[in-house]
Amino acid sequence: MMGAGQGSAGRSAFSAGAASWLARGPWLRGDRLRWLLTPSFGDLAFAVRSSLAAALSLLIAMWMELDSPQWAPLTVWVVAQSSRGESLSKARWRVAGTVAGCCAAIALVAAFPQASGLFFVSLALWIGLCCGFATFFDGYRSYGLLVTSFTSTIVATGAIIQPDEVFDVAMSRGTYIILGIVCEATLAMLFMPGLQEKARARLLGRLEAVCAAVSVGVTRLVEGRADPEADQRLLAELMAANGRIEFDVLEMAPQTPRIADHARAAIADLLMMLARARGVAASGRVPGSDPERDYQAARAHVRACIVPVRGDRFRFRVRSQRHAVESVQNGLRACAGIIGAWLVWEVTAWPAGVTFVSMVSLVYGLLATREVPIMASGAFFRGAVWCAVVAGIFAFLVIPAVTAPECLVLALLVPMTIGGLAARNAATTGYAFSFNMFLPVLIGPSNMGRFDEVSFLNGASAFLAAVLFTRLTFGTVLPFRADAHLRRTRAWTEKRLRAIADLRSRVTAYRWLSDNADSMVRTVRTSHAVPRATLVTAMERHLEAMTLGMLVITVRQEVQAGRVPGGFETRVRVFLRVWERSGDTGARPVARALLWGLERRGVGDTALVGALAGIAGSGPG
């Protein structure tokens, strides 16, 4: 018989062996479950904070005896973001979108109280308009329009059977949303002490990182080591840093009102530096001004962020790129989807048809502005299936066993925390997107009772059918095609490349570079199905067009400012007209002849000569 000491040693050895086996188990290979078993402190803090906020909103909604308290935690998960600036921006536009959506729903129900056909056609047109403009705009302004669209549907479909109650429904839905936003904001403040200092450090660290990365990239280009894929990654890093500025500054406000302008100006100078370095690599000459000057200008703006100047009035205006084709397609697709969902309800007389239509609109609002909606909808559906399974366990086993809302909330904290961790993991974020938001909705907690089996199955089936229906329409109604998007981007770039030579144009070099960088990064993200060779060729041309465009703008601005040497203005104007008519292929010989004439005249290191040298040396001899 083994002694006690031996038993303890054996158990210790077994425990150590089990832990070692678990650590190298097949489920951890490739880090597949590391996000759940060994999360980082930041991920765990986000998951716990968001789960507690959702639980608090649900408890308050049930304490207030609201009729549909599940919409409050849904709002928490919709606005919950990893940074406070994102949450603030998203919450602000969600409130605005909710108010607009409630007003639109009241107007629609009042206009067509007994004409379901006209009502749903008008609703579909309204939602299509919202989704279309949401694609046209950017950031959380876009999100506000999406909130307007699905709030309109939730309120309108909830009141269409009893039109006299539309105002009460609108007020209750608005109350849930405001409650969810307040709870999320309160928990975020408690979980994020020292927010302003951390946001400042994060912004400055990001600017320092992109300055260093661009410096390395420029050195590589000037030394003749061209690498289009490295340039693409560098542009993606620059555009990502530019996109984060708004949120960091929101967290730092109101003490530093001009930091956003200086930070964006620093990114602009770095873009210019990168483009000039490509010009140097193409021609062996400095195109206009030394890239080092751009770097020093960027560093000056970074210093202005580090030590703000009292009374600083610096402004840096930016304008977002608009995607007209995608916005029209999204609007038409959403309109067709809502009409199709209504027809399904009309033909089948499904008791859960109202829920189905509402869910279709909600899923459209959540996915319509994704770059590739059909891809996003796949992960969204898998998360929805997990959501339905867990909600079924709660509806059939947990809720009948609890006697107080507090017990239900404690039980919900477990799956919600897991969902919050999944939301921070790149491989599972699509699943978590639908799981977190719709788990409380499918459970349907209430003070006055609970879902019976038929009600739950009807609600869950309506939800899953809505996600599948939306996925089907994304794939059949004006589906996104990566190859068509690539061709459209190429045509857009070539058209604009010619148009910037027009002397009436006011497109600046930064505007040209930022628009093209944003377009190229977006194209790379959405071109998974395009053959690699085709994509690399297209991106090489896009990078070349970015540099050529900056050089042509330099030539155009020299003419507009009257800085062309005497006797050459007419020839430079001819060059610009040829460029506008024939593009770089037809205008390059003219640039070479013009450059030769300027050099014979003895015109040396000027912006005009540098730009023409870059144009002449960028193509085939």
Side-chain angles (χ1 to χ4, degrees), residues 256-296:
T256 50
R258 299 276 71 84
I259 278 189
D261 297 283
H262 283 292
R264 292 190 177 101
I267 299 293
D269 288 326
L270 292 174
L271 272 173
M272 293 289 291
M273 180 183 177
L274 189 60
R276 291 191 204 282
R278 288 186 61 83
V280 172
S283 66
R285 305 191 189 195
V286 177
S289 65
D290 192 335
E292 181 63 24
R293 296 181 190 174
D294 295 316
Y295 183 73
Q296 293 303 325

Side-chain angles (χ1 to χ4, degrees), residues 15-142:
S15 300
S20 176
W21 180 77
L22 285 171
R24 62 174 185 271
W27 42 81
L28 278 179
R29 288 174 188 167
D31 296 336
R32 293 186 62 182
L33 284 182
R34 198 170 297 279
W35 59 271
L36 177 61
L37 301 179
T38 57
S40 68
F41 177 78
D43 292 348
L44 185 61
F46 169 80
V48 172
R49 181 194 86 207
S50 302
S51 300
L52 289 176
L56 178 63
S57 68
L58 181 59
L59 276 177
I60 294 175
M62 296 184 75
W63 173 73
M64 294 172 66
E65 298 188 358
L66 299 176
D67 60 338
S68 300
Q70 65 268 22
W71 295 108
L74 179 143
T75 298
V76 170
W77 285 109
V78 169
V79 301
Q81 299 293 317
S82 56
S83 82
R84 185 72 192 118
E86 287 180 280
S87 296
L88 283 170
S89 183
K90 204 169 188 180
R92 178 177 60 187
W93 288 101
R94 183 166 177 81
V95 170
T98 298
V99 173
C102 289
C103 293
I106 292 172
L108 285 170
V109 173
F112 309 106
Q114 295 179 334
S116 60
L118 289 174
F119 168 79
F120 278 103
V121 169
S122 300
L123 180 64
L125 290 172
W126 168 248
I127 291 174
L129 192 66
C130 290
C131 289
F133 275 108
T135 309
F136 193 69
F137 294 108
D138 65 332
Y140 290 126
R141 300 162 188 81
S142 166

Side-chain angles (χ1 to χ4, degrees), residues 147-168:
V147 172
T148 300
S149 73
F150 61 70
T151 301
S152 302
T153 304
I154 291 172
V155 173
T157 55
I160 191 62
I161 298 176
Q162 296 176 310
D164 292 342
E165 297 181 3
V166 64
F167 183 78
D168 295 335

Side-chain angles (χ1 to χ4, degrees), residues 175-247:
T175 302
Y176 303 139
I177 291 169
I178 301 300
L179 174 61
I181 291 171
V182 170
C183 289
E184 197 277 335
T186 302
L187 269 292
M189 285 189 292
L190 294 176
F191 272 73
M192 294 182 181
L195 188 64
Q196 293 181 346
E197 292 75 13
K198 291 179 180 178
R200 185 187 188 85
R202 191 165 52 244
L203 174 62
L204 296 176
R206 195 177 293 117
L207 290 175
E208 293 287 353
V210 294
C211 282
V214 169
S215 181
V216 171
V218 166
T219 301
R220 172 178 50 78
L221 284 168
V222 172
E223 292 176 353
R225 294 180 285 115
D227 186 348
E229 293 189 6
D231 289 343
Q232 293 165 23
R233 290 193 294 271
L234 189 53
L235 287 172
E237 189 175 348
L238 280 168
M239 301 315 291
N242 191 59
R244 298 291 310 177
I245 290 171
E246 173 186 355
F247 309 126

Side-chain angles (χ1 to χ4, degrees), residues 417-546:
T417 302
I418 294 174
L421 292 172
R424 295 292 296 266
N425 179 52
T428 56
T429 186
Y431 297 62
F433 190 36
S434 53
F435 180 89
N436 292 331
M437 285 188 289
F438 290 100
L439 180 62
V441 175
L442 294 188
I443 293 174
S446 172
N447 289 310
M448 306 305 295
R450 68 177 184 88
F451 278 171
D452 57 29
E453 290 77 1
V454 175
S455 299
F456 170 78
L457 291 174
N458 266 327
S461 60
F463 170 56
L464 293 176
V467 178
L468 277 177
F469 181 84
T470 307
R471 179 171 169 78
L472 177 66
T473 54
F474 279 141
T476 56
V477 181
L478 299 173
F480 177 86
R481 292 181 56 88
D483 54 347
H485 177 73
L486 190 63
R487 288 193 299 271
R488 193 163 59 245
T489 301
R490 175 71 177 269
W492 174 84
T493 304
E494 298 294 338
K495 181 180 179 181
R496 291 197 70 204
L497 182 59
R498 295 186 182 190
I500 58 175
D502 189 343
L503 287 170
R504 295 168 296 180
S505 174
R506 292 295 181 268
V507 176
T508 64
Y510 170 69
R511 168 79 182 281
W512 166 258
L513 292 172
S514 63
D515 282 358
N516 278 272
D518 181 67
S519 177
M520 189 171 68
V521 170
R522 185 172 186 267
T523 299
V524 171
R525 285 199 305 262
T526 58
S527 297
H528 302 291
V530 176
R532 178 177 175 79
T534 303
L535 181 61
V536 170
T537 300
M539 292 303 99
E540 286 178 345
R541 172 56 184 171
H542 207 141
L543 284 168
E544 181 187 25
M546 285 179 64

